[in-house]
Amino acid sequence: MSSKVLQYNNPTLVGEITVPGDKSISHRSVMFGSIAKGKTTVSGFLLGEDCLSTIDCFKKLGVEIEVDGTNVSIESPGMDGWAEPTEVLYTGNSGTTTRLMLGILSGTKLHTVMTGDASIGKRPMRRVADPLRLMGAQIAGRENGQFTPLAIQGGTLQAIDYTMPVASAQVKSAVLLAGLRANGTTIVRESEVSRDHTERMLRQFGAEIDVTDGIVSFKGGQTLTGTHVNVPGDISSAAFFLVAGSITQGSRIVLENVGVNETRDGILEVLKKMGAKMTVQVDDENAAEPTATITIETSELTGTTVGGSIIPRLIDEIPIIALLATQANGKTIIKDAEELKVKETNRIDAVVNELKKLGANIEATDDGMIIEGPTPLTGGALKTYGDHRIGMMGAVAALVAKGAVELDDADCIAVSYPTFFEHVEKLLK
Ligand code: SPQ
């Protein structure tokens, strides 16, 4: 953990960058490639710490995985050929790895134990363990499976018809991945649509899955066939530069190959609604995961309300949207976002506490926050809480702050965006 002092003097950001690969899709490419028998190749893979944790877990299960830059090749004997690991599977800081693996491992014949870092040890796992137990999974852990370390005794699973209590792609994906091995057709009902990378990738690996009106149906016993996965740039990483470009003076940033899957692009809708000068040029809307070139310029912004069904489409962007709102005219209300409390840290408290230290006019609510703008930001000493997205929010705040911003732990940013500061340097004029 190393601190970093950031001081910029009215910077202008100009140029082009290609943000690293999408974290959610990178995780899934390794998971699906390991489940499938044979060879899978991946390009554009994110070399973030979270995705490397996923690779490490599958290597411990006996899958051969080679990383060459952002290309990954996976050679798997298929799920039935995995070896029972003699070591604990370490999922690091990654909720996606922990929760999706819980679903996958429940349907093997193996005994496995999973644990992660201190933050993972506080994140709720019953949201996944409970539906999996309804399918017959045997999962043990602290507080009846709520917290890691978790021990999983794989076995036979039965399909369920599950109505999701919260909008969560991790819960949906864990149930679907267990459903792959279950007897019968697994049904997952979502009231708000969450990111659908699992459904899309199941199709890419040759499975049939039906999605109609928020109801996902998936027949168990299907086999996955190795394929090539092209990972687009991560819109959640691009979001930091979309905001940086719109709030710094004289800026114009071009972001290439950004994933614009409609279950992830809520940030673009919010930026448009707030008046951002932005163009989105879609490359190929029929791709398994569509991408676009996005251009953003310094903008005159107006506050807005963000809530309802858009929340799952921008849940990870809320910290940076809150910073954006401090520079917009008028009031911004972020609501229906209680899920922020169970991320790497409580992101409602973290965002509000840290932006207040820089002079923002921001208050926490039960399900979000209210921001009055515009406020000039000062320097200050910020905590990241070991949360990459809070770290990057602080770094972007430093670009508009009058004075130095110190981050107590800048290393955590490598979880999802290891080249973040290189990209800031590249754009600084
Ligand atoms: O993997 P992790 O730690 O849960 O990462 C986060 C993030 O900010 O990068 C959340 F803290 O992203 C989640 C996201 O919030 C990744 C994800 C996925 O890949 O399925 C889904 C979302 O979580 P959830 O709980 O809504 O399913």
Side-chain angles (χ1 to χ4, degrees):
M1 162 167 161
S2 62
S3 65
K4 195 170 178 88
V5 178
L6 302 165
Q7 183 151 24
Y8 306 100
N9 191 13
N10 247 340
T12 287
L13 300 173
V14 178
E16 284 179 20
I17 54 169
T18 306
V19 294
D22 186 280
K23 178 160 78 67
S24 296
I25 300 171
S26 295
H27 280 305
R28 286 161 171 82
S29 68
V30 171
M31 294 174 179
F32 284 67
S34 299
I35 292 170
K37 202 171 182 171
K39 187 161 180 146
T40 290
T41 51
V42 185
S43 55
F45 188 81
L46 169 65
L47 298 166
E49 286 169 4
D50 271 14
C51 300
L52 297 177
S53 295
T54 296
I55 289 187
D56 198 51
C57 289
F58 283 99
K59 280 187 172 171
K60 286 189 177 135
L61 288 160
V63 179
E64 277 177 40
I65 304 176
E66 273 172 30
V67 180
D68 177 12
T70 58
N71 293 322
V72 176
S73 75
I74 304 158
E75 187 77 55
S76 177
M79 251 179 128
D80 289 319
W82 290 351
E84 193 160 60
T86 51
E87 289 170 73
V88 169
L89 303 179
Y90 184 68
T91 60
N93 189 246
S94 177
T96 308
T97 313
T98 315
R99 297 200 176 112
L100 269 59
M101 295 233 25
L102 207 52
I104 295 169
L105 293 168
S106 295
T108 64
K109 294 197 169 58
L110 311 174
H111 178 264
T112 45
V113 180
M114 260 195 312
T115 199
D117 68 6
S119 155
I120 280 296
K122 292 187 201 132
R123 294 179 69 182
M125 296 297 154
R126 285 274 304 269
R127 53 177 49 204
V128 178
D130 285 351
L132 293 177
R133 283 168 171 161
L134 293 174
M135 300 175 84
Q138 291 182 54
I139 298 164
R142 289 184 296 132
E143 296 190 24
N144 194 21
Q146 179 69 318
F147 300 113
T148 55
L150 297 168
I152 304 114
Q153 179 56 61
T156 307
L157 302 177
Q158 295 301 324
I160 49 167
D161 183 337
Y162 191 63
T163 301
M164 302 262 297
V166 286
S168 163
Q170 293 177 356
V171 177
K172 172 177 64 176
S173 301
V175 172
L176 291 174
L177 288 165
L180 184 63
R181 305 284 284 188
N183 299 316
T185 297
T186 295
I187 296 171
V188 180
R189 297 170 195 270
E190 292 193 284
S191 52
E192 309 286 8
V193 175
S194 64
R195 64 190 69 188
D196 67 353
H197 306 302
T198 296
E199 297 90 307
R200 286 174 190 243
M201 207 179 282
L202 278 168
R203 287 196 193 102
Q204 267 182 281
F205 277 79
E208 276 181 30
I209 180 163
D210 181 68
V211 185
T212 311
D213 298 333
I215 303 172
V216 187
S217 311
F218 183 46
K219 194 164 180 280
Q222 302 188 54
T223 48
L224 302 189
T225 309
T227 186
H228 178 72
V229 178
N230 183 24
V231 181
D234 197 328
I235 192 167
S236 297
S237 297
F240 294 97
F241 287 101
L242 291 172
V243 170
S246 61
I247 64 177
T248 50
Q249 290 311 306
S251 295
R252 184 175 188 276
I253 305 176
V254 180
L255 296 148
E256 287 177 336
N257 192 38
V258 181
V260 287
N261 175 325
E262 64 193 9
T263 62
R264 291 284 298 283
D265 67 353
I267 176 84
L268 303 181
E269 218 168 290
V270 169
L271 278 162
K272 270 186 210 145
K273 220 165 100 186
M274 292 177 79
K277 281 169 108 178
M278 180 180 69
T279 59
V280 180
Q281 180 77 45
V282 177
D283 304 320
D284 173 8
E285 58 189 27
N286 297 318
E289 290 283 354
T291 56
T293 298
I294 308 179
T295 305
I296 188 89
E297 289 177 50
T298 309
S299 310
E300 182 72 23
L301 301 159
T302 313
T304 188
T305 295
V306 183
S309 61
I310 199 170
I311 293 294
R313 293 173 50 217
L314 48 66
I315 188 73
D316 296 338
E317 287 64 81
I318 291 178
I320 196 64
I321 290 173
L323 172 66
L324 178 73
T326 69
Q327 303 306 300
N329 296 302
K331 185 184 282 197
T332 293
I333 301 172
I334 298 172
K335 58 182 186 175
D336 307 316
E338 299 91 340
E339 275 293 298
L340 290 174
K341 295 178 183 171
V342 292
K343 299 297 180 185
E344 282 82 331
T345 187
N346 178 332
R347 286 183 178 160
I348 295 181
D349 290 351
V351 166
V352 171
N353 291 343
E354 301 316 301
L355 290 181
K356 262 191 182 167
K357 287 182 190 165
L358 304 183
N361 187 345
I362 179 167
E363 292 303 331
T365 61
D366 266 357
D367 64 349
M369 53 199 91
I370 299 175
I371 304 124
E372 283 281 353
T375 41
L377 299 183
T378 64
L382 300 188
K383 272 179 73 172
T384 64
Y385 308 83
D387 182 334
H388 52 133
R389 303 211 189 274
I390 303 297
M392 287 186 274
M393 177 198 76
V396 175
L399 292 166
V400 288
K402 302 273 171 284
V405 170
E406 182 175 357
L407 302 180
D408 66 339
D409 170 17
D411 296 342
C412 64
I413 291 172
V415 153
S416 64
Y417 202 158
T419 52
F420 175 76
F421 288 110
E422 273 169 48
H423 285 174
V424 173
E425 288 300 320
K426 185 177 176 208
L427 294 170
L428 279 176
K429 289 289 165 298

